């Protein structure tokens, strides 16, 4: 069964450094998402991406963050100048329909645990 | 601000009994509703999606949707210890899904 994959599974970085989290969405999906979950809190939407551009972003997704689809398979989240409060699980998800349309189920990758020291 | 509300629990249910999980949402225009299961330290795993009023059954799971009351529920029949997890209710927003905080379910052996 096709699945979303993410690398690395765990990333440790020093405060102020840049990190890139990588995702390979399900191959025939067109809509891509990043969510994060701070320990003990709910899953929060960061950004959605379609047709090589951002379609929606939350207030969390400020200039510190960027997304890119550098080739036909990878989808990346870059976090610049990391802060302690960026420590969280980051989940990539993909779907083959826009949220709100029939068949819009989002499938989640296993996540990357980011630890900022 | 679109919200999804769930009782955080924990909800303790004896093995073999029915577990009932509830969720309300604020946006009357929402069209897609999901239940995800999340084990500690793992990613959300889709259990059920539902789009129309009424019941939808899949194995031991039944999702119920009442759009007039803005209410979604999940029933788990014949609860097993492996069902112990956090259950996340999610609702579509604009180009995203919005999650509740989740209900921790504990199945008592």
């Amino acid at each position: 069964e096709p699945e979303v994959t993410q690398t690395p599974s765990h990333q440790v970085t020093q405060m102020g450094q840049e990190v890139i989290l990588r995702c390979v969405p399900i191959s025939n999906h067109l809509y891509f998402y990043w969510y994060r979950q701070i320990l003990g809190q709910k899953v929060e939407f960061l950004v959605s991406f379609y047709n090589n551009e951002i379609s929606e972003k939350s207030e969390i997704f400020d200039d510190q963050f960027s997304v890119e689809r550098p080739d036909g398979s990878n989808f990346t989240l870059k976090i610049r100048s990391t802060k302690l409060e960026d420590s969280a699980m980051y989940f990539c998800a993909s779907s083959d329909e826009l949220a709100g349309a029939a068949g819009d189920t989002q499938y989640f990758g296993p996540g990357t645990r980011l630890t900022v020291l | 601000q679109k919200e999804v509300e769930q009782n955080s629990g924990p909800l303790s249910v004896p093995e073999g009994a029915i577990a009932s999980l509830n969720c309300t949402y604020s946006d009357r225009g929402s069209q897609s509703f999901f239940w995800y299961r999340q084990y500690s330290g793992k990613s959300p795993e889709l259990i059920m999606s539902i789009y129309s009023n009424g019941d939808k059954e899949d194995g031991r799971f039944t999702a119920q949707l009442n759009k007039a009351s803005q209410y979604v529920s999940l029933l788990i029949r014949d609860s097993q210890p492996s069902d112990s997890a956090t259950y996340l209710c999610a609702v579509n927003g604009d180009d995203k899904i919005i999650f509740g905080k989740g209900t921790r379910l504990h199945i008592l052996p």
Side-chain angles (χ1 to χ4, degrees), chain A residues 33 35 37 42-43 45 48 55-56 89 91 98-106 108-110 113, chain B residues 1 3 31-32 34 36 38 41-44 46 49 51 88 92-97 99-101:
Chain A
Y33 308 86
Y35 294 83
Q37 186 176 31
K42 68 177 180 179
V43 177
F45 167 77
S48 57
S55 50
E56 177 88 7
M89 282 288 284
F91 296 112
L98 184 64
D104 62 349
T105 300
Q106 294 185 19
F108 282 71
R113 180 175 299 282
Chain B
Q1 181 82 339
E3 299 285 343
Q31 299 169 8
S32 309
F34 308 93
Y36 286 84
Q38 187 176 32
K42 302 296 185 181
S43 64
L46 181 74
S49 59
Y51 300 90
L88 310 179
N92 79 283
D94 299 322
D95 292 351
K96 61 181 175 285
I97 55 175
F99 284 88
K101 291 183 179 180

